[in-house]
Amino acid sequence: MVIDAGHGGRDPGARGRKTNEKNINLAIAKRLGEMIADGHKDVKVIYTRTSDKFVGLETRANIANHNNANLFISIHTNSLKHGSSVRGTETYTLGLAQTKENLDVAMLENSAILLEDNYKKRYENFNPNSSESYIMFDLIQNKNMAQSIALATEIQRGFEQAGRKNRGVRQAGFLVLKATSMPSVLVEVGYISNPDEESYMASDKGRTELARAIYNAFGRYKRDYERKQGQGVSRKEAPEKKKEEPKSSPASRSSSSSRSSVSVQFDGPARSVVGESRHSSTSSNGVVYKVQILTSDKPLPDNARAFKGRRTSYYREGGKYKYTCGETTEFKDIQRLHRELQKDFPNAFIIRMKDGKRLK
Ligand SMILES: [Zn+2]
């Protein structure tokens, strides 16, 4: 497995009052690596860096790819420009950001490529600060998604058990995750912009507790994985065998196709392309959950201000255009999205849909 301490060298990552992100990431990465090497003798731990040096995002992923690693854990520290009260942990898997908040995190982390030589050529003119660049994450079909989410879920559970605030498993377009060919997660261990959390992450105790939380999560993931596969997690070919759809299909994935269906497919009575194609293999009888955020007399453009940066889909009912976010067959996933959306849309509510029609 590969442990990736984010940033390093000329790239400090997020800056704090006492320390910088790169130092926190490295300390936790090393501690985690020591714990795994100690506790799981069958696992080979590889680091993308073990000192304060600059490593490009693509290089980090290639270290994992070239070593046939079967797991990639990238360690980062979060930061908000405004507001120092936000605290807590998030674990990301690769996907299309469902919220502006998640997109912002990916933009911040991806902007590390601006410090690389030839970044324009290397990343095919990807502009980390332009939301347009992230549309490509719409198209990603990630065969490792189920496992990545399983690990991310365990990591968030680990943080919660360690007494840290759990801000959830999320999806966004991280270049470093996109370039890896194995299950991969990007962990934000806390907010350096929160003075209390910064002190915790700068402390020996905090770093050890955070590393142990990830270590415990890794152990649970590995055990579960081995039980399901009947073989070691250290085998390269193992991840490929698991082909079934993720149990909790994240909203971000389905929203990608519903988004394209808004512009081309809908004319007259709404027809849920997503419900028919993407979810035909699930046991939900084509019933999906969405969060309705607003209703309009006229169709609105995708980038309408009223959407507050959210990606939406719509259906028509009673001559009105009803706009929704997310789409999932899992009620707990839509509940999570609903809670999130209520911050921007206090009147948002969950609906059930089948074949593009709302169910009562
Ligand atoms: Zn970072």
Side-chain angles (χ1 to χ4, degrees):
M1 72 169 300
V2 168
I3 303 176
D4 173 44
H7 312 277
R10 62 180 182 265
D11 174 14
R15 290 181 173 84
R17 295 160 185 82
K18 298 180 173 164
T19 184
N20 288 328
E21 174 184 359
K22 64 177 184 178
N23 303 321
I24 295 170
N25 300 345
L26 182 61
I28 294 174
K30 281 174 148 177
R31 231 160 271 205
L32 171 62
E34 285 160 17
M35 288 175 187
I36 291 175
D38 254 12
H40 300 275
K41 303 285 183 206
D42 56 331
V43 175
K44 185 178 167 197
V45 176
I46 297 165
Y47 301 91
T48 54
R49 67 177 179 102
T50 52
S51 61
D52 182 20
K53 71 169 185 188
F54 182 84
V55 184
L57 291 187
E58 197 183 57
T59 306
R60 293 167 190 265
N62 282 337
I63 289 171
N65 296 340
H66 294 159
N67 281 290
N68 287 337
N70 50 23
L71 206 57
F72 182 87
I73 300 181
S74 189
I75 309 229
H76 286 260
T77 305
N78 222 332
S79 178
L80 278 180
K81 276 204 191 87
H82 308 289
S84 56
S85 62
V86 176
R87 64 185 176 88
T89 59
E90 297 155 17
T91 301
Y92 285 86
T93 62
L94 184 65
L96 183 74
Q98 183 68 26
T99 66
K100 185 171 179 304
E101 188 178 58
N102 295 353
L103 177 63
D104 286 346
V105 174
M107 282 182 165
L108 205 61
E109 300 296 6
N110 289 337
S111 63
I113 65 169
L114 302 177
L115 298 168
E116 293 184 42
D117 301 326
N118 291 326
Y119 76 89
K120 281 188 179 156
K121 199 173 166 200
R122 192 187 300 259
Y123 296 94
E124 294 166 332
N125 288 320
F126 183 91
N127 177 354
N129 297 317
S130 155
S131 54
E132 295 295 305
S133 293
Y134 290 80
I135 288 170
M136 70 172 183
F137 289 98
D138 250 5
L139 305 170
I140 285 171
Q141 294 284 335
N142 187 352
K143 65 180 180 350
N144 297 311
M145 183 179 253
Q147 281 175 270
S148 302
I149 290 176
L151 176 63
T153 306
E154 291 296 353
I155 290 174
Q156 283 307 115
R157 192 203 292 183
F159 285 142
E160 205 172 316
Q161 287 168 348
R164 309 313 296 167
K165 185 178 179 192
N166 174 5
R167 289 171 52 85
V169 173
R170 302 172 175 218
Q171 279 75 43
F174 293 92
L175 290 173
V176 72
L177 299 184
K178 179 171 167 279
T180 57
S181 53
M182 69 289 307
S184 58
V185 297
L186 187 144
V187 186
E188 297 281 358
V189 297
Y191 280 80
I192 202 170
S193 43
N194 178 311
D196 289 344
E197 211 152 64
E198 183 190 8
S199 297
Y200 179 75
M201 295 186 295
S203 75
D204 205 50
K205 174 175 175 285
R207 291 170 174 183
T208 302
E209 284 177 5
L210 289 165
R212 186 158 300 282
I214 304 172
Y215 169 76
N216 290 339
F218 170 77
R220 287 193 298 266
Y221 167 85
K222 180 170 179 280
R223 214 166 32 241
D224 194 46
Y225 182 74
E226 286 169 347
R227 191 170 48 76
K228 279 183 189 148
Q229 301 295 317
Q231 57 185 299
V233 73
S234 50
R235 303 260 179 85
K236 159 70 180 162
E237 67 275 15
E240 322 258 330
K241 291 194 175 159
K242 189 168 175 181
K243 286 241 166 79
E244 76 258 32
E245 282 288 295
K247 267 198 209 109
S248 55
S249 124
S252 62
R253 184 184 183 182
S254 24
S255 76
S256 59
S257 41
S258 57
R259 186 174 166 275
S260 50
S261 68
V262 167
S263 49
V264 278
Q265 301 284 354
F266 283 5
D267 185 20
R271 194 166 58 88
S272 174
V273 175
V274 180
E276 284 160 20
S277 59
R278 287 286 180 91
H279 293 285
S280 55
S281 61
T282 67
S283 57
S284 59
N285 305 320
V287 176
V288 293
Y289 296 103
K290 299 183 179 200
V291 178
Q292 185 163 325
I293 55 166
L294 58 92
T295 295
S296 165
D297 293 323
K298 295 192 298 264
L300 300 170
D302 276 359
N303 59 355
R305 195 171 281 183
F307 297 147
K308 302 187 181 179
R310 311 277 175 170
R311 286 173 181 264
T312 58
S313 170
Y314 72 83
Y315 66 100
R316 291 176 67 181
E317 195 180 55
K320 305 246 187 215
Y321 294 81
K322 304 195 169 179
Y323 286 88
T324 62
C325 289
E327 176 178 306
T328 174
T329 55
E330 296 292 318
F331 189 63
K332 68 173 179 359
D333 289 345
I334 206 70
Q335 280 182 308
R336 192 185 304 138
L337 180 64
H338 180 227
R339 278 196 296 276
E340 176 106 36
L341 285 166
Q342 277 182 312
K343 291 176 206 158
D344 283 333
F345 306 94
N347 299 322
F349 55 92
I350 296 171
I351 60 169
R352 287 195 314 145
M353 293 192 78
K354 187 178 179 182
D355 299 333
K357 293 217 170 64
R358 185 179 166 192
L359 301 175
K360 294 295 163 197

